[in-house]
């Protein structure tokens, strides 16, 4: 039997961040997960392997584009075994590191699947066989999410390896001549970009009128232009109503903007994820789920059961690793008796396509929906020296500013490397920075970070590289 002060169920970026902080704060801690090392979906079959593949995809795309700069490479020869090995090595290196970090901190890592006995006892079915009992003062549930697959996207005759979820697609079984991506969200666009760069003819089908619902349209428009060049087709306002496995491929029936049917070599289904609250025995506690299946928590990550906390994808959107880590750290601090709550002003979102799309804080769509008046200052990357040197003027930096206080309320970015640039926006929003703060902070030249400073200058009608005088 193991007796600890804190047990964390689920070893993803939320769970392991929580377990490591608990140990750092001197609490006797155990972390339970079926994988060899901490890492969870994000590290084993999500954020990390997809980013390794997107890095390669970007190289292929740039090499093709280099012809315009006077450097012509021959068409890439793709060795899938080696590419898979690179991706697996990235995962192994990172998870090896988290495993070592757990050991160094004396976090007891238990490989297995947990079920709940009561509000202070877990039973773990060990991966190695047998069972272990864990008694705890506090538990943190960090069980994440799983792909959502509606009935219309299930094959009537049972599973077929040609219909993939993100996990199967990341395994790179082959480079299919044709791939249908169902869902024009984060996963669909990221993995669709990988397959398109490797040579598949990719079609994206999205049921709403635009890609990446939730993101501002002016940002998405720039990404959509690039996608229209790299992918074979984007079908908007269209749903997949039926799929059928045939020897030649998967026959897919569309309805809406596009009707009829077509056959694809492979299909990737990426229509969202649902919370994984299916921890056996949860019903023996006071933990409650909402109507969408998320565990209900307060701003201190407490469930209705005083000894049990929950964090990450299983407690609500956005389902992002960095949100989970921060919630995990909040839960641990609360357990340690600190006076803290989880109340971020900005949770950044990044779509790692090419160009990347990122936003933090208020979006223009949210401001409009709330009837909130905001000033919008935009700096197009065509006016950025750095973007021109990179031959990447397909970008836009946008600030949403409170007209009364001149505080930065939100930032939207699209462009190469936008995912790195958004971090400055998060700091600005969290610190209550005003447009003047951004304008007066000297940004290094020539860098893309200057687009944030110059967008603030645009707000005052004083941008060096954009002539847009402020109307009196
Ligand atoms: P998503 O919510 O981003 O996108 C799903 C898309 O599918 C939406 O645009 C939706 O309108 C569309 N859709 C739903 N049902 C459909 C149907 N029947 N036919 C056609 N389109 C349909 O979900 P996802 O791409 O599956 O990703 C899941 C979650 O994983 C994301 O919400 C995100 O939180 C996380 N994620 C994040 C990153 C990142 O941070 N870069 C990357 C991948 C995944």
């Amino acid at each position: 039997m193991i007796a600890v002060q804190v047990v964390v169920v689920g070893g993803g970026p939320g769970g392991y961040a929580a377990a490591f902080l608990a140990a750092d704060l001197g609490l006797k801690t155990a972390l339970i997960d079926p994988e060899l090392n901490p890492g969870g979906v994000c590290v084993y079959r999500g954020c990390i392997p997809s980013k390794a593949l997107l890095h390669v995809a970007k190289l292929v795309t740039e090499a093709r584009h280099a012809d315009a700069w006077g450097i012509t490479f021959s068409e890439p020869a793709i060795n899938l075994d080696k590419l898979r090995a690179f991706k697996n090595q990235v995962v192994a290196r990172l998870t090896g590191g988290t495993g070592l970090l757990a050991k160094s901190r004396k976090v007891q890592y238990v490989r297995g699947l947990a079920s709940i006995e009561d509000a202070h006892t877990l039973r773990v079915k060990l991966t190695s066989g047998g069972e272990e009992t864990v008694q705890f003062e506090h538990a943190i549930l960090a069980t994440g999410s799983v792909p959502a697959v509606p009935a219309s996207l299930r094959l009537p005759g049972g599973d077929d390896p040609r219909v993939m979820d993100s996990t199967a697609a990341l395994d790179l079984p082959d480079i299919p001549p044709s791939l249908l991506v169902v869902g024009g969200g984060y996963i669909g666009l990221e993995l669709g970009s990988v397959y398109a760069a490797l040579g598949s003819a990719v079609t994206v089908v999205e049921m709403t009128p635009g890609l990446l619902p939730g993101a501002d349209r002016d940002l998405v428009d720039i990404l959509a232009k690039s996608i229209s060049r790299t992918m074979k087709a984007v079908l908007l306002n269209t749903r997949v109503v039926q799929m059928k496995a045939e020897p030649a491929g998967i026959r897919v029936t569309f309805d809406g903007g596009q009707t009829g049917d077509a056959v694809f070599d492979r299909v990737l289904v990426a229509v969202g994820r649902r919370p994984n609250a299916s921890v056996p025995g949860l019903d023996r506690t006071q933990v409650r789920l909402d109507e969408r299946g998320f565990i209900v928590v307060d701003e201190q990550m407490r469930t209705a059961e005083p000894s049990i906390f929950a964090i990450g994808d299983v407690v609500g959107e956005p389902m992002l690793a960095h949100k989970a880590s921060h919630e995990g750290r909040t839960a641990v601090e609360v357990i340690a008796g600190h006076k803290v709550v989880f109340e971020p002003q900005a949770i950044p979102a990044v779509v790692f396509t090419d160009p990347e799309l990122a936003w933090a804080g208020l979006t223009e769509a949210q401001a409009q929906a709330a009837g909130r008046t905001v000033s919008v200052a935009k700096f197009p990357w065509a006016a950025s020296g750095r973007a021109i040197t990179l031959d990447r003027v397909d970008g836009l930096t946008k600030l949403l500013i409170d007209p009364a206080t001149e505080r930065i309320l939100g930032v939207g970015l699209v462009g190469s490397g936008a995912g790195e640039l958004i971090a400055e926006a998060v700091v600005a929003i969290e610190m209550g920075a005003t447009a003047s703060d951004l304008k007066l902070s000297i940004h290094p030249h020539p860098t893309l970070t200057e687009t944030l400073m110059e967008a603030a200058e645009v707000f005052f009608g004083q941008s060096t590289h954009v002539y847009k005088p402020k109307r009196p």
Side-chain angles (χ1 to χ4, degrees):
M1 204 218 17
I2 297 171
V4 288
Q5 287 167 289
V6 177
V7 63
V8 182
V9 181
Y16 78 72
F20 290 4
L21 180 65
D24 291 346
L25 294 179
L27 299 166
K28 191 164 186 232
T29 305
L31 174 60
I32 302 170
D33 190 278
E35 295 287 352
L36 179 62
N37 282 306
V41 169
C42 172
V43 185
Y44 278 98
R45 43 189 178 277
C47 336
I48 296 298
S50 64
K51 264 49 322 149
L53 296 179
L54 279 159
H55 170 64
V56 173
K58 188 167 187 191
L59 175 77
V60 172
T61 312
E62 283 204 331
R64 284 195 181 120
H65 185 74
D67 187 51
W69 309 326
I71 314 281
T72 307
F73 295 99
S74 48
E75 267 303 295
I78 295 162
N79 181 331
L80 267 191
D81 288 335
K82 238 174 157 170
L83 181 53
R84 252 183 248 117
F86 162 65
K87 178 207 64 171
N88 293 343
Q89 192 190 317
V90 166
V91 171
R93 184 169 179 172
L94 207 51
T95 52
T98 48
L100 273 178
L101 286 168
K103 269 198 195 94
S104 325
R105 288 178 154 99
K106 303 205 171 19
V107 169
Q108 186 156 7
Y109 188 66
V110 184
R111 251 191 111 179
L113 285 170
S115 56
I116 296 176
E117 287 289 300
D118 60 44
H120 289 281
T121 318
L122 290 179
R123 181 133 10 245
V124 184
K125 203 165 184 212
L126 299 172
T127 309
S128 59
E131 281 197 344
E132 179 69 92
T133 302
V134 181
Q135 293 219 307
F136 60 86
E137 288 170 22
H138 291 103
I140 300 175
L141 302 179
T143 45
S145 59
V146 292
V149 187
S152 61
L153 297 176
R154 283 181 214 273
L155 286 170
D159 290 350
D160 184 303
R162 294 172 295 177
V163 177
M164 310 181 287
D165 61 10
S166 55
T167 306
L170 280 168
D171 282 341
L172 284 179
D174 59 9
I175 303 171
S178 65
L179 171 72
L180 176 72
V181 173
V182 189
Y186 284 81
I187 295 178
L189 296 187
E190 290 186 358
L191 289 181
S193 304
V194 169
Y195 277 88
L198 295 179
S200 296
V202 177
T203 300
V204 176
V205 53
E206 163 59 44
M207 70 176 187
T208 71
L211 298 171
L212 293 169
D216 279 345
R217 292 303 96 187
D218 49 355
L219 306 176
V220 174
D221 286 348
I222 292 173
L223 170 63
K225 211 181 252 176
S226 146
I227 282 178
S228 70
R229 283 192 297 267
T230 52
M231 300 203 187
K232 186 177 168 224
V234 175
L235 315 176
L236 299 175
N237 282 314
T238 303
R239 272 173 187 273
V240 169
V241 285
Q242 202 188 10
M243 292 202 295
K244 204 168 144 234
E246 293 181 356
I250 305 295
R251 183 170 295 278
V252 178
T253 310
F254 300 112
D255 193 23
Q258 177 94 11
T259 52
D261 57 38
V263 177
F264 297 88
D265 294 298
R266 282 185 183 273
V267 176
L268 162 62
V269 177
V271 296
R273 297 179 65 85
R274 58 179 178 78
N276 175 27
S278 58
V279 185
L282 203 57
D283 52 342
R284 289 191 206 116
T285 69
Q286 299 181 65
V287 174
R288 292 286 159 267
L289 307 186
D290 70 12
E291 65 287 349
R292 294 176 61 202
F294 290 107
I295 294 180
V296 179
V297 290
D298 65 11
E299 70 280 9
Q300 290 194 308
M301 316 316 298
R302 293 174 189 277
T303 69
E305 179 67 59
S307 61
I308 300 181
F309 291 64
I311 61 145
D313 287 8
V314 78
V315 303
E317 283 165 347
M319 293 191 186
L320 297 172
H322 42 274
K323 173 216 151 221
S325 312
H326 278 260
E327 286 178 342
R329 293 172 67 92
T330 301
V332 169
E333 289 207 43
V334 172
I335 291 168
H338 304 178
K339 274 194 174 170
V340 292
V341 289
F342 183 74
E343 50 174 10
Q345 298 300 302
I347 300 174
V350 180
V351 189
F352 290 88
T353 39
D354 189 15
E356 292 176 353
L357 200 143
W359 67 96
L362 191 69
T363 65
E364 210 173 339
Q366 283 168 345
Q368 271 161 10
R372 183 167 181 183
T373 308
V374 288
S375 298
V376 180
K378 295 184 187 183
F379 184 83
W381 287 22
S384 152
R386 185 58 178 145
I388 294 170
T389 63
L390 297 169
D391 199 8
R392 291 305 305 263
V393 296
D394 53 334
L396 177 70
T397 298
K398 173 168 90 164
L399 304 181
L400 273 79
I401 299 163
D402 183 332
T405 63
E406 297 188 352
R407 266 178 74 159
I408 312 285
L409 302 174
V411 176
L413 280 157
V414 60
S416 181
E420 303 288 336
L421 300 179
I422 199 69
E424 174 175 343
V426 176
V427 176
I429 296 166
E430 285 289 354
M431 298 197 70
T434 62
S436 293
D437 292 321
L438 270 190
K439 183 180 78 143
L440 293 173
S441 301
I442 300 176
H443 285 62
H445 180 70
T447 65
L448 295 169
T449 65
E450 288 171 294
T451 66
L452 287 155
M453 175 185 72
E454 286 222 33
E457 291 174 0
V458 166
F459 172 70
F460 294 103
Q462 300 167 359
S463 160
T464 306
H465 297 99
V466 171
Y467 180 62
K468 202 170 176 214
K470 202 161 179 129
R471 268 172 267 146

